[in-house]
Amino acid sequence: MGKNNWRKKKEIGGFYIPNQFLFRLKLMMNKLSFILIVLFSLACNSKETHLSKPNIVLILADDLGYGEVGYNGQEIIQTPQIDQLAAEGKIFTNFYTAAPVCAPARCMLLTGLHSGHAYIRGNDEWRERGEVWDYAKAANDPNLEGQRPLPSGTLTIAKILQQNGYQTGIVGKWGLGAPLSEGIPTNLGFDYFYGYNCQRQAHNLYPPHLWENETKILLNNQLVVPSTKLDSLADPMDPSSYKRFQQTDYAPDLMHEKALAFIENNKDQPFFLYYASPLPHLPLQVPSENMEDYQKVIGDEQYYDGSKGYFPNRYPRATYAAMISLLDKQVGEIRAKLEDLGLSENTLIIVTSDNGPTYTGGVDFDYFKSSDPFSNGYGRTKGFVYEGGIRVPMLVNWPGKIKSGTVTDHVSALYDLLPTICELIGAKIPVDTDGKSFLSTLLGKRQEPHKYLYWEFPEYGGQQAVRMGKWKAVRQNLKEGKIQTELFDLEADPKELHDLASQFPEIVSKMEEIMKKEHSPSSIERFRLEALGD
């Protein structure tokens, strides 16, 4: 532009504006346009990043049996929300927990390690602290509350997700580190925690307190010790005799509100919600309005007097069924919240259980056929490595990504969730994981199967198990020095009633080699098994 042109004026709307001003204005507009384009691009990329990292909701029921959901054949207990979620997603018929009781199963879920390598291998109340089994003392003293802690440096699913831009929350039951220890959720990858820190405190669903992050939240409930029985003069047939066991603040309801709030608060960014519900774990407690329908269906029934642990209950069958149906209702409300926020198509939902159903505390497992099609009752369900104790219900739902109405017999376990989630979000899978991603199975692609699954459990006498194809090997009573391997053909004998070890010694030999290979001595004395050379 020449010197004269620079100084000339141009008429715009009756005004004469210098060319040099127009030139500068044009430069400013160009810069502003560039900035807007960059900002729009960043916003789009942020949106694309969120969409490429789906939200993950992992719902872990507590002691929910394989046969206690409708899609697995349950006829009395109604689970319409879970059944619909399963019908619109994928059902796993060969899914296993990693351990037959609470704490180790949760440890292995979070770390991707099986029970031959995991840090927590059984329920460990950390007894060296003092009177940890005194419910009242532990309720008032956080130094006695909670279980042995996972070291804060432990790599967990939650930490991996945090490192990849996720907000992480756990609502429900923790059980992997006392309140004042290094093993609290916020030290192990969770941005938010609300619920029971301690498994023992969870033996009352109307507890005196819960925890929110590191803060003890007092509830509007009186302290009632779980071993409390009916008053000696009370009429066990009169429902009013049981009022002290049904108070004001019902923990599963409070935790559910926090779970819904976590989703609401994090709707604009990728999130991981580990919803570790205490339902339907004992004691038999549920708000009375939840069981009215079951009282009509089941009719009058024999009361439970509390002689097999936990609290007495006037209508034990109706209460237990209502607890599972309440869990089902809450699953439905989680899904509805996602739909209301427009998040359902970008959210992967997993619903499973930490172990098989219980055998005590007033639960009528035979009436409900809780472990069908596997063997039922003590010695075969919770606490044991037979199928009823470790085969659990499992469904995955992800609209538009997982084909609706599909079923897979892919053999997998809780410790597979970590590598699966890593592959899902594009994170590096830890080299020392025992798990194997089943993302290909979720997406309907060819899946490389596990060569085998392995379990060991230092409680209930000491146990080991291996699943390899159709074969299942089991060892019991290892703490008595007995090393005897049973062998079952799960295709022909899912109830594990016919030991074939003497007929297939070569299969037994392979199983025993796996048991030797996968076991490593625990660093915690309580979890060691001398029969295995520890």
Side-chain angles (χ1 to χ4, degrees), residues 288-323:
S288 57
E289 63 268 19
N290 292 87
M291 64 176 181
E292 290 173 356
D293 289 342
Y294 283 112
Q295 287 178 280
K296 296 174 185 176
V297 171
I298 295 173
D300 197 20
E301 53 177 305
Q302 178 62 34
Y303 64 87
Y304 168 60
D305 63 4
S307 60
K308 295 182 179 180
Y310 301 96
F311 294 129
N313 186 282
R314 176 61 188 89
Y315 303 104
R317 289 176 177 172
T319 301
Y320 187 68
M323 290 168 73

Side-chain angles (χ1 to χ4, degrees), residues 127-392:
R127 290 168 173 80
E128 53 264 40
R129 292 176 296 163
E131 297 179 80
V132 295
W133 275 105
D134 189 312
Y135 184 91
K137 288 183 178 180
N140 292 312
D141 183 358
N143 291 290
L144 296 176
E145 185 179 352
Q147 285 64 50
R148 182 177 296 277
L150 274 176
S152 61
T154 302
L155 183 64
T156 65
I157 289 177
K159 283 187 179 180
I160 293 170
L161 287 164
Q162 270 186 338
Q163 294 163 4
N164 283 270
Y166 278 74
Q167 282 294 115
T168 57
I170 169 175
V171 174
K173 190 171 85 173
W174 177 238
L176 294 173
L180 304 182
S181 75
E182 63 177 326
I184 56 176
T186 48
N187 283 345
L188 286 157
F190 290 98
D191 297 304
Y192 179 75
F193 166 58
Y194 183 87
Y196 292 103
N197 170 285
C198 175
Q199 294 175 171
R200 295 187 310 278
Q201 294 296 307
H203 290 180
N204 185 349
L205 296 180
Y206 291 93
H209 73 275
L210 293 171
W211 289 86
E212 188 163 30
N213 297 324
E214 292 86 45
T215 302
K216 188 174 185 177
I217 306 296
L218 300 181
L219 304 182
N220 188 20
N221 295 324
Q222 296 296 316
L223 192 154
V224 181
V225 176
S227 59
T228 302
K229 303 294 190 297
L230 290 178
D231 294 335
S232 59
L233 299 179
D235 178 3
M237 298 299 292
D238 183 355
S240 65
S241 299
Y242 301 81
K243 282 186 176 181
R244 69 184 304 183
F245 308 114
Q246 194 171 44
Q247 299 192 56
T248 303
D249 288 340
Y250 187 58
D253 284 345
L254 299 179
M255 290 185 282
H256 186 60
E257 292 173 4
K258 296 293 185 178
L260 294 172
F262 179 83
I263 293 173
E264 178 78 38
N265 295 338
N266 293 285
K267 62 181 181 294
D268 296 324
Q269 59 193 320
F271 64 80
F272 169 58
L273 172 60
Y274 170 32
Y275 192 171
S277 173
L279 297 173
H281 194 293
L282 295 169
L284 293 168
Q285 288 177 307
V286 74
S288 57
E289 63 268 19
N290 292 87
M291 64 176 181
E292 290 173 356
D293 289 342
Y294 283 112
Q295 287 178 280
K296 296 174 185 176
V297 171
I298 295 173
D300 197 20
E301 53 177 305
Q302 178 62 34
Y303 64 87
Y304 168 60
D305 63 4
S307 60
K308 295 182 179 180
Y310 301 96
F311 294 129
N313 186 282
R314 176 61 188 89
Y315 303 104
R317 289 176 177 172
T319 301
Y320 187 68
M323 290 168 73
I324 294 177
S325 285
L326 176 57
L327 169 68
D328 178 76
K329 177 186 175 185
Q330 293 175 338
V331 170
E333 290 175 353
I334 291 288
R335 191 181 192 190
K337 170 63 76 172
L338 294 168
E339 291 174 349
D340 290 345
L341 296 173
L343 300 176
S344 58
E345 291 189 1
N346 192 42
T347 302
L348 179 78
I349 302 176
I350 302 168
V351 182
T352 186
S353 178
D354 65 342
N355 47 249
T358 192
Y359 49 82
T360 188
V363 172
D364 194 339
F365 46 78
D366 285 327
Y367 178 79
F368 292 114
K369 301 179 181 178
S370 295
S371 294
D372 265 15
F374 314 113
S375 293
N376 219 351
Y378 182 80
R380 291 285 174 155
T381 51
K382 179 178 179 177
F384 295 87
V385 295
Y386 291 107
E387 294 293 283
I390 58 175
R391 184 97 69 104
V392 292

Side-chain angles (χ1 to χ4, degrees), residues 390-457:
I390 58 175
R391 184 97 69 104
V392 292
M394 164 72 165
L395 70 87
V396 185
N397 184 288
W398 191 10
K401 304 294 191 303
I402 295 176
K403 187 177 179 181
S404 178
T406 52
V407 178
T408 178
D409 61 0
H410 175 66
V411 179
S412 50
L414 271 183
Y415 53 81
D416 290 329
L417 290 178
L418 184 145
T420 301
I421 289 173
C422 284
E423 186 178 7
L424 174 70
I425 67 171
K428 184 178 180 181
I429 298 174
V431 294
D432 61 347
T433 182
D434 293 311
K436 190 178 188 68
S437 171
F438 54 76
L439 183 62
S440 293
T441 294
L442 293 181
L443 301 179
K445 300 177 181 178
R446 184 180 178 277
Q447 173 77 55
E448 186 71 23
H450 272 285
K451 292 181 179 178
Y452 53 81
L453 297 180
Y454 174 75
W455 297 265
E456 67 179 60
F457 185 49

